[in-house]
Amino acid sequence: MGKSKKYEYDYEQYEAGKGPDSMVRDILADPEFGEVTDVVIGSWGSAWEDGCQKILDEIADNGAGFAHVEKLFVGDMDYEECEVSWIIQGNYSRLWKALPDLKELTIKGSTDLVLGQVEHENLESLTIICGGLPASVMEEIGNAKLPNLRKLVLYIGIDNYGFDGDGDTVQNLLEKSDFPKLEYLGIEDSEIQDELAHVVLESKYMKQIHTLDLANGTLTDKGGRMLLEKLPSFPNIKMLDVHYHYMSDGMVSKLKELPVEVDAAEPNEPEEYGGEIWMNAMLTE
């Protein structure tokens, strides 16, 4: 198993002049880097002001130096370092050719995020964690050529923090995309989780995946009833992840009677304010 290491700057390092311009230089200078296959890039000191474009460009410029890297996570920081909706991302267009042996890519934050023309023979996992996923990024994923992609996890988020699509946007992505080896599909963290559950349950990928991930959103008994009705038609599904939800205890009990492993932890109760009912996705700001 390869070695994982996180590279990040604290406030004092940032004040001393460290930032996105120095990150890749410091990574390459690390005497342990040759053994690191799982690179995690945390705070670059000013993620709310300066994006990670310089980091992405210098990784691409030093592709040979990063050739041994199999996993890359860009933007791994908690809310105390930078709220997810504040993280300024960058353009990943050059990364696909620069890292041909990359197997897993995780991106946190969606502000200024561009994937470009996505073509990669060996990528097996793509995860985007954000408070709102732009329709432009979903279109890029829909056009992606990822013949070995096995896991796709997308945080849809809300319109206040970048999501400018709707259920049809997600439906178009699933219809247009071509991921013949996909085994794990996660469409989560949405305020329209019931609608997206319907979209996913009607998608072509239901016939091939073993894990259905609809977690971290506002899934209610309406979505639960759809799962109860549809899942028995797909014996290939072995795992259902709906943790962080708004379903009743009774619905959760019924789901757990299905012949699949079910994660329905973190139940939530709707809140009433000003005569309106409010439900929140897990991760927004």
Side-chain angles (χ1 to χ4, degrees):
M1 181 177 290
K3 181 176 181 179
S4 175
K5 189 166 184 178
K6 186 174 183 177
Y7 297 91
E8 59 186 335
Y9 296 139
D10 59 25
Y11 180 74
E12 292 183 357
Q13 290 172 307
Y14 170 60
E15 286 292 294
K18 295 294 186 179
D21 290 354
S22 59
M23 180 65 78
V24 172
R25 182 170 66 247
D26 287 347
I27 293 174
L28 291 171
D30 176 14
E32 297 181 346
F33 180 57
E35 303 173 5
V36 177
T37 59
D38 185 351
V39 172
V40 179
I41 297 176
S43 174
W44 46 87
S46 55
W48 60 93
E49 292 181 336
D50 302 309
C52 61
Q53 193 61 55
K54 187 68 172 180
I55 297 172
L56 300 177
D57 288 344
E58 292 196 1
I59 290 176
D61 290 340
N62 293 277
F66 282 79
H68 60 290
V69 175
E70 297 180 354
K71 300 180 183 180
L72 178 63
F73 187 160
V74 181
D76 182 20
M77 54 193 90
D78 61 28
Y79 71 93
E80 292 182 345
E81 295 170 300
C82 186
E83 296 280 6
V84 65
S85 64
W86 298 0
I87 299 173
I88 301 175
Q89 270 291 333
N91 190 321
Y92 284 72
S93 297
R94 297 179 57 211
L95 212 64
W96 309 112
K97 289 184 179 180
L99 302 179
D101 293 324
L102 190 67
K103 292 182 179 179
E104 296 186 18
L105 176 62
T106 301
I107 299 168
K108 189 171 185 179
S110 61
T111 299
D112 293 345
L113 176 61
V114 176
L115 298 180
Q117 185 175 340
V118 183
E119 293 187 34
H120 201 286
E121 288 293 323
N122 296 309
L123 195 74
E124 297 178 0
S125 175
L126 175 62
T127 299
I128 301 179
I129 303 166
C130 64
L133 190 63
S136 59
V137 176
M138 283 190 267
E139 184 176 0
E140 290 171 327
I141 296 170
N143 292 326
K145 296 179 180 179
L146 299 171
N148 282 296
L149 190 71
R150 287 169 167 77
K151 182 176 182 178
L152 177 65
V153 177
L154 302 176
Y155 280 51
I156 303 303
I158 65 175
D159 55 5
N160 284 347
Y161 295 110
F163 175 54
D164 55 357
D166 53 23
D168 290 341
T169 310
V170 177
Q171 181 179 358
N172 290 337
L173 184 161
L174 297 176
E175 288 180 351
K176 191 172 185 180
S177 60
D178 182 16
F179 306 134
K181 294 186 179 180
L182 195 69
E183 300 173 339
Y184 185 119
L185 177 59
I187 301 293
E188 54 181 271
D189 192 56
S190 172
E191 288 188 329
I192 55 169
Q193 201 67 35
D194 287 340
E195 181 180 354
L196 296 187
H198 173 75
V199 168
V200 173
L201 287 168
E202 295 296 325
S203 75
K204 61 189 175 186
Y205 293 115
M206 286 300 297
K207 297 177 181 179
Q208 68 185 65
I209 59 174
H210 60 58
T211 299
L212 174 59
D213 179 356
L214 298 170
N216 295 320
T218 59
L219 193 73
T220 70
D221 282 3
K222 179 180 179 180
R225 285 190 291 271
M226 287 187 279
L227 291 167
L228 284 174
E229 178 185 352
K230 295 289 187 179
L231 283 186
S233 300
F234 303 104
N236 49 294
I237 301 292
K238 306 301 180 184
M239 173 69 190
L240 172 65
D241 188 350
V242 288
H243 79 271
Y244 189 101
H245 60 86
Y246 287 83
M247 294 183 292
S248 66
D249 291 343
M251 180 57 67
V252 169
S253 296
K254 290 179 181 179
L255 287 175
K256 288 186 175 181
E257 293 176 0
L258 291 170
V260 300
E261 182 180 351
V262 177
D263 181 355
E266 299 181 63
N268 295 275
E269 293 290 338
E271 297 180 0
E272 183 175 350
Y273 181 77
E276 294 187 42
I277 300 297
W278 295 86
M279 295 182 291
N280 301 306
M282 185 276 295
L283 183 65
T284 54
E285 187 175 31

